[in-house]
Amino acid sequence: MGSDAGGNDTAGAGCRAVQTALALEGDGTSIAHARHRATEFLSQAHEGHGLPVSQQVLELTQLVVSELVTNARKYAPGPVLMELRITAHSVDIVVWDSDPTIPTARATDPGRIGQHGLEIVQAVTENLSIDHEPVGKRITARIALHEKADVPECGLR
């Protein structure tokens, strides 16, 4: 159901970027599996690598994973790939799917039921980018590990 990639020292001098990747199948368990993998990954980054992962970062990561994987499963045919990367600065959640349509956040409407996922992701992330790929698209959401005033001297490039 998934595949792992080990940690790589790609964040710059003295900073270790830890990452994992997961291929998700089209069954109904893929969203829960992605959330569970994110939780395991962040716990390992905290306990095994000493990276600062607060309860808030854990919960925001689970929320963003849920929203992005749900949208990919709902709108894209074929596989979904998820990658998680963490450095001293941030957690990046990258979701690739085969649908080339770039999603856009809809105008705020408290009466609308559903379709608030991208609005939520934009509200809780430091940065959100959506890129066309040769096949489909890649969405990258970045969650900061620290308050702006407390950022170490290294990070993801």
Side-chain angles (χ1 to χ4, degrees):
M1 192 180 275
S3 61
D4 287 319
N8 293 325
D9 195 4
T10 60
C15 295
R16 184 166 175 79
V18 181
Q19 61 187 32
T20 190
L22 176 65
L24 299 164
E25 297 175 15
D27 63 12
T29 65
S30 62
I31 299 161
H33 185 63
R35 275 193 314 265
H36 180 72
R37 177 61 61 90
T39 300
E40 286 178 339
F41 173 71
L42 292 179
S43 294
Q44 181 183 32
H46 177 68
E47 295 166 11
H49 298 281
L51 292 168
V53 179
S54 68
Q55 186 64 32
Q56 179 181 9
V57 168
L58 175 64
E59 291 170 2
L60 289 175
T61 300
Q62 290 172 328
L63 174 63
V64 170
V65 164
S66 292
E67 293 297 338
L68 295 181
V69 172
T70 296
N71 286 347
R73 292 280 11 116
K74 185 174 182 180
Y75 298 110
V80 173
L81 304 175
M82 180 181 78
E83 181 181 349
L84 300 166
R85 295 186 299 254
I86 186 171
T87 67
H89 277 273
S90 62
V91 177
D92 283 352
I93 300 130
V94 182
V95 175
W96 172 88
D97 67 55
S98 60
D99 183 1
T101 305
I102 300 294
T104 57
R106 298 177 67 183
T108 301
D109 179 0
R112 183 176 72 234
I113 298 186
Q115 299 188 349
H116 294 280
L118 197 55
E119 293 170 58
I120 292 168
V121 171
Q122 285 177 323
V124 302
T125 58
E126 178 179 71
N127 186 41
L128 179 68
S129 64
I130 305 171
D131 300 300
H132 279 280
E133 294 290 319
V135 175
K137 66 182 167 297
R138 179 176 27 104
I139 300 175
T140 305
R142 179 168 286 174
I143 297 172
L145 289 180
H146 305 277
E147 295 295 321
K148 293 288 185 196
D150 186 31
V151 178
E153 288 294 319
C154 60
L156 189 64
R157 296 183 205 271

